[in-house]
Amino acid sequence: MQAVQTNYFDAPDRGFPGQLFNAASAVGNSIFSGAATENLYTGRAVALATNTDDFDGSLALKTVSGITDAADIAGILTSDAQAIADMDGDVYVQSKTMATFARANRGALIYVKADMSVTIAAGDDVYVATNATNDQGIGLGEFTNTAGTGLLKTNFKYYSGNSKGKMAIIELVDVIVPAAENGGDE
């Protein structure tokens, strides 16, 4: 008699970087396509690049390296059929290929690799690494809820935290800051 395995203990984690949390959150005009001008990792923030002749008028995407204004963040790169894994298992879209991204301020819910050094809770502010050398030691375009050097506060909010070191979910909302907090009149 041969043994048959009936119990499986290696359940996959829920969600992966760049995966939509649910289709209902991506209603309307929230998912766009763009041409990657460099290798871009899924589940990380991207910015619009200056359009070049290489992309025939398509939106061009780049990393958020050096971005100083949250309004310059185009969104978060979503999972893509053309994406491949690097030596560390992180998934990216190669330069000069088309990619999809959830547009900033359009309401989509996206899984992201959470900063494992801090506890993130629903409703927390979202900071993105705009410099590879940053106070949290996270990758360029990755997210945390902690301010610091090389980290830019976005308009997004955490929809779900990173309990037990798992993925967090970011809601791409446009949080309206009262004029008094922006230095203007209410």
Side-chain angles (χ1 to χ4, degrees), residues 132-149:
T133 305
N134 58 72
D135 285 350
Q136 290 303 107
I138 59 176
L140 184 64
E142 288 184 351
F143 304 95
T144 185
N145 63 347
T146 306
T149 302

Side-chain angles (χ1 to χ4, degrees), residues 46-172:
V46 292
L48 293 178
T50 304
N51 207 349
T52 66
D53 293 336
D54 294 340
F55 301 110
D56 280 338
S58 298
L59 289 175
L61 301 173
K62 65 178 184 173
T63 66
V64 292
S65 179
I67 297 290
T68 58
D69 186 350
D72 292 333
I73 297 171
I76 298 176
L77 200 70
T78 58
S79 56
D80 196 288
Q82 296 189 67
I84 57 176
D86 67 11
M87 296 298 285
D88 296 323
D90 292 325
V91 178
Y92 69 97
V93 175
Q94 291 180 305
S95 175
K96 297 188 179 185
T97 60
M98 292 303 287
T100 56
F101 67 104
R103 191 70 187 241
N105 309 326
R106 301 289 173 100
L109 299 171
I110 307 293
Y111 281 100
V112 298
K113 183 177 172 183
D115 178 355
M116 299 298 178
S117 68
V118 296
T119 299
I120 296 171
D124 282 358
D125 290 331
V126 176
Y127 293 82
V128 64
T130 57
N131 189 317
T133 305
N134 58 72
D135 285 350
Q136 290 303 107
I138 59 176
L140 184 64
E142 288 184 351
F143 304 95
T144 185
N145 63 347
T146 306
T149 302
L151 300 164
L152 176 67
K153 185 177 180 185
T154 70
N155 293 333
F156 314 145
K157 290 289 183 186
Y158 280 99
Y159 178 79
S160 171
N162 64 346
S163 63
K164 299 181 184 172
K166 304 292 183 191
M167 296 287 152
I169 300 170
I170 289 178
E171 184 170 12
L172 297 174

Side-chain angles (χ1 to χ4, degrees), residues 25-50:
S25 73
V27 297
N29 200 6
S30 61
I31 306 297
F32 283 68
S33 293
T37 61
E38 56 192 297
N39 291 348
L40 299 172
Y41 285 86
T42 60
R44 295 188 187 185
V46 292
L48 293 178
T50 304

